[in-house]
Amino acid sequence: MSSLEGVVIADFSRVLAAPYATMMLGDLGAEVIKVEQPGRGDETRTWGPPHFEGEATYFLSVNRNKTSVQIDLSTEAGRGQARELIARADVVVENFKPGTMKKFGLDYESLGRDDLVYCSISGFGSGKGADLAGYDLLVQAVGGLMSVTGPGPYEPVKTGVALVDVLTGLHACVGILAALRHREATGQGQLVELDLLTVLLSSMVNQSAGFTLAGSVPKPMGNRHPSIAPYEVFPTVDQPIVLAVGNDRQFRRLCSVLDVPELATDPRFVTNSDRVENVDELFEILSVRLRTHPAQHWFEILTPLGVPCGPVNDVAHAFALAESLDLSPTATIGDMTLVANPIRLSRTPVTYRLRPPKLEQ
């Protein structure tokens, strides 16, 4: 038996944030019926390359364990089909522009079902920000993430994936599961609302709290950490390596391995606060030593001593690392190898039942 066996989700979502959430719930056993526009489907079906046997890998990445039904919500007949689907669903998930589902008579209030869990995801909420476009890159910009990412104040950089969408999808899962637990106890459903902007502000954790608690407005620091040193990328003979030294004991061990034990007692570097204050000088000294050997050499020597470090891998090497650690990072459905769900449950493990649906199904 799966954790969410018997839960039916009417999935009106598309693109990334909400489809990621519904895929995660599908992995946990829920029946997910994805509603798509006739003839076109989810926009991400056309977002390629890359492709797998003619299908966009973007779409495939977030739509397994779902079936698909084509419904034209612009017609009365289509809206009737949608209401029939919702009538047998426990959960509705949608991420249309705010007001769209209300126009169709399919919003939480119009449906009038006291036992329904209804999740709405938007870019900037359903109030004054309802008309703003909820694209991940835009939210990274206006939400402050790009202001702390990149080498300097005039070179803002987005993350390499649509991270805000993924974080919002995960928060949506938490909200939906909490609402289902409440319904189990009381019989009552509820409206679950999320927006990308406040999810991002929450997910910036220490950077956000530094502002709300101390009025500190963080600036971009490249690969450095605002509160820990050495905690950044360093050069070696062959490829970059990350050092993530979190305490003074680890720093002393690092200095010993690099044959510069005197750094551990240097007044500039004795404590973490000292090292943060003098991070430029520390970087130059450590870089000279680290350039004497390849990244793998340092990884193999420092790791057994409890000094956190590792080479900057590409995605292929990252998957290889996970495989070498027996973490099973992939899942196979038929001839398709997808990224595995990282949640491991001892009694109700995730399952991979359905490949991402083709539009004609």
Side-chain angles (χ1 to χ4, degrees), residues 11 67 80 110 118 134 149 167 206 232 265 270 294 311 344 347:
D11 181 8
T67 57
S110 298
Y118 193 110
T149 306
L167 289 167
N206 60 303
E232 59 181 299
T265 56
V270 173
R344 289 185 283 274
R347 294 189 184 274

Side-chain angles (χ1 to χ4, degrees), residues 8-10 84-92 113 115-116 183:
V8 178
I9 299 176
E84 289 178 6
L85 172 59
I86 293 170
R88 73 179 189 89
D90 302 285
V91 181
V92 170
R113 267 187 57 191
D115 65 336
L116 182 65
R183 191 183 76 159

